[in-house]
Amino acid sequence: MNGVVASPSGDGTVKRRLSQQTKPANGVNVVDPSCGGVMAKNSLHYYSEASFMKWTYSDAVHVANHHWIPCLFALGLLFFMAVEYTLRMVPPSSPPFDLGFIATRSLHRVLESSPELNTLLAALNTVFVLMQTSYILWTWLIEGRPRATISALFMFTCRGILGYSTQLPLPQGFLGSGVDFPVGNVSFFLFFSGHVAGSVIASLDMRRMQRWELAWSFDVLNVLQSVRLLGTRGHYTIDLAVGVGAGILFDSLAGKYVDSKRKHDLIE
């Protein structure tokens, strides 16, 4: 009878005994479900085996010494939770609050009062974008390494989708230039910055090839370019920050794609 024994009792009822009972090493009684039983656990024993019940003061010191970066992130989480729950939200009728715009107010005033300087910096920015593009295409067409090019294709496609999906308003005080990229004062997506992401993709490839001086040069130019974009109000701060993350993300995805194709070719 599936391991269930029935025995008559003095009051006419039938008592059932569940057989095939096992007791694992951790001391928790478990009944074989095939016998019609129910899984049972000793809750007190279960929680006494929980990881946090074994923490000691020395463990806390070890975590603080050897894992200080996650500890800083934990403090950051608590700080910004407090900020988020106490901050007054920006009214719909007001322009967005941007810390980068506040930090570059002086530069914005200089560029606003000096159109020639704004045009010169815009032209240099366009030259830098052409440098990024030339390097990325060079790695594929000349060196035969398609990863950076694939990464750029992934990135700009995703940027187009996100930029079209939520079209941010042009920042107040935008200082455009006919020689800035995209050339001709044409419209463009704000989120996220293709300038920054493209530079990160090129810089990461340079590091893989141990072209350290060139990589550091691109990084410095990328920072200067970002400051100029904030000064001209050509991008919000979040556009630039996500641009860095996007460059890293799509470089990684392109690497996985190239590796998968290489493995597939070897199998065939």
Side-chain angles (χ1 to χ4, degrees), residues 98-107 227 230 233:
D98 194 298
L99 192 60
F101 289 2
I102 296 175
T104 56
R105 280 182 297 193
S106 298
L107 177 60
V227 173
L230 290 173
R233 308 300 187 250

Side-chain angles (χ1 to χ4, degrees), residues 128-139 143 145 147-149 198-222 251:
F128 183 45
V129 173
L130 292 176
M131 289 168 58
Q132 299 173 24
T133 306
S134 299
Y135 179 84
I136 291 173
L137 290 176
W138 175 279
T139 61
E143 298 180 355
R145 298 184 298 105
R147 176 170 173 171
T149 304
S199 179
V200 169
I201 289 172
S203 176
L204 290 173
D205 185 86
M206 294 169 185
R207 281 175 164 76
R208 277 193 298 273
M209 301 304 295
Q210 298 185 356
R211 297 165 178 167
W212 305 111
E213 294 82 3
L214 194 56
W216 281 112
S217 298
F218 262 58
D219 290 340
V220 171
L221 291 174
N222 201 13
D251 176 77

Side-chain angles (χ1 to χ4, degrees), residues 137-204:
L137 290 176
W138 175 279
T139 61
W140 173 41
L141 299 175
I142 306 300
E143 298 180 355
R145 298 184 298 105
R147 176 170 173 171
T149 304
I150 295 172
S151 177
L153 293 175
F154 284 0
M155 182 271 292
F156 278 109
T157 301
C158 182
R159 177 178 179 268
I161 294 172
L162 295 178
Y164 184 80
S165 298
T166 300
Q167 300 174 39
L168 301 175
L170 195 64
Q172 294 183 2
F174 170 63
L175 303 175
S177 173
V179 297
D180 201 356
F181 188 87
V183 178
N185 266 333
V186 297
S187 60
F188 56 93
F189 292 132
L190 285 165
F191 189 83
F192 46 86
S193 174
H195 292 74
V196 172
S199 179
V200 169
I201 289 172
S203 176
L204 290 173

Side-chain angles (χ1 to χ4, degrees), residues 213-257:
E213 294 82 3
L214 194 56
W216 281 112
S217 298
F218 262 58
D219 290 340
V220 171
L221 291 174
N222 201 13
V223 171
L224 295 176
Q225 162 190 251
S226 299
V227 173
R228 186 198 73 90
L229 287 170
L230 290 173
T232 61
R233 308 300 187 250
H235 270 298
Y236 294 105
T237 302
I238 194 172
D239 304 330
L240 305 176
V242 175
V244 174
I248 297 172
L249 171 64
F250 289 108
D251 176 77
S252 175
L253 292 178
K256 294 180 185 300
Y257 174 81

Side-chain angles (χ1 to χ4, degrees), residues 63-74:
V63 169
N65 288 334
H66 297 275
H67 302 285
W68 58 271
I69 292 180
C71 290
L72 287 179
F73 284 142

